[in-house]
Amino acid sequence: MEFVIVTGMSGAGKSTTLKFLEDAGYFCVDNLPPALIGKFADVCFSPDSGLKKIALGVDVRSGMHFEILFSELAQLNSQGITMDIIFLESSNDILIKRFKETRRKHPLVEDGRIEDAILEERTLLEPVKSQAKIIIDTTNLLTRELRLELHKALNDEKSYKNLIITVLSFGFKYGIPSDSDLVFDVRFIPNPYYKSELRGFTGKDKVVQDYVMEWDVSTIFIEKLDDMLAFLIPNYIKEGKNQLVISIGCTGGKHRSVTLTDALARKLESYNYSVHCHHRDIEKDALRGK
């Protein structure tokens, strides 16, 4: 029997995760008091239960009872019942934004601020996060991308790595992405913008890709960046990092950075990492009439 516990930061995507698991054939129960986990497991593991896959949503909504989770998990382990813990993570800024957009109250907020509640929740959840088999950082993930990560984690768990890499193109004139971990400036590469026949295209078009990649500096840059990341990424994973944002910028974020971001993403995908590619500013010049 597969037994999964879904937990993590409030607003990080636990409800979406449980919906995905339900669609995947799991019997899902959300917000079960931790004190009842043992009794619930007894029912589920009884010979006539008919259940093969179970998922429980557990988090700080349980209040003071949340701490019982650890003793319940230890008790299940002593009975030979194994389980996988899926931990959903996200950055403070994104969590605050999600709570404000949905106008929902954080479960730990009484009269204080959301920021303080998030910090308190991180402290409470650190012990369970350290036991998690699968950690997914949803900071830069769309709903469909989260579903893809869950599918990878549950169906290819032996090779799944708790690191999601976002490769992001941007234009320096629109500002450096605030969530960047690594930033690379490719404005040293000849600019297709100054070729009138290429100006209206983007780095998603073959004519621009061919122009950008015909220069030796472009291919050498990708090769050197690939070599550096081959060293860095395993060390990031070893250190426990679960989200890496690599930003590549040119002047407008339309030609050079888009081409090289796609080229780097293809390189990283060949190593079986979870890679998501985004182009933040690719349409902005068009909106400005340029």
Side-chain angles (χ1 to χ4, degrees), residues 1 38-52 54 79 81:
M1 178 181 289
K39 294 179 180 178
F40 179 74
D42 289 340
V43 173
C44 293
F45 281 84
S46 63
D48 57 349
S49 72
L51 299 176
K52 295 182 178 179
I54 304 164
Q79 297 173 10
I81 297 175

Side-chain angles (χ1 to χ4, degrees), residues 157-192:
E157 60 184 37
K158 288 185 179 180
S159 63
Y160 185 79
K161 303 176 179 70
N162 284 326
L163 179 71
I164 297 172
I165 302 173
T166 300
V167 192
L168 177 68
S169 71
F170 72 96
F172 276 95
K173 68 181 179 181
Y174 300 114
I176 297 173
S178 60
D179 57 347
S180 302
D181 294 299
L182 301 170
V183 177
F184 297 95
D185 183 349
V186 296
R187 288 176 291 185
F188 60 87
I189 294 170
N191 193 349

Side-chain angles (χ1 to χ4, degrees), residues 82-148:
T82 58
M83 68 214 73
D84 292 335
I85 298 177
I86 300 176
F87 190 97
L88 281 300
E89 172 68 284
S90 190
S91 70
N92 289 0
D93 290 345
I94 292 298
L95 292 175
I96 292 169
K97 179 182 178 182
R98 289 172 183 171
F99 273 105
K100 288 185 176 180
E101 286 177 347
T102 60
R103 298 186 180 181
R104 295 192 63 192
K105 179 182 176 183
H106 191 284
L108 295 182
V109 168
E110 292 182 3
D111 299 322
R113 301 166 64 231
I114 294 178
E115 293 92 328
D116 296 333
I118 289 172
L119 292 176
E120 180 183 353
E121 185 177 30
R122 286 199 187 282
T123 301
L124 287 171
L125 291 176
E126 190 56 39
V128 71
K129 182 179 179 181
S130 67
Q131 298 181 41
K133 183 174 183 179
I134 298 167
I135 300 173
I136 299 179
D137 191 325
T138 66
T139 300
N140 294 297
L141 296 186
L142 302 172
T143 298
R144 59 178 172 81
E145 293 172 329
L146 171 57
R147 287 176 171 267
L148 178 61

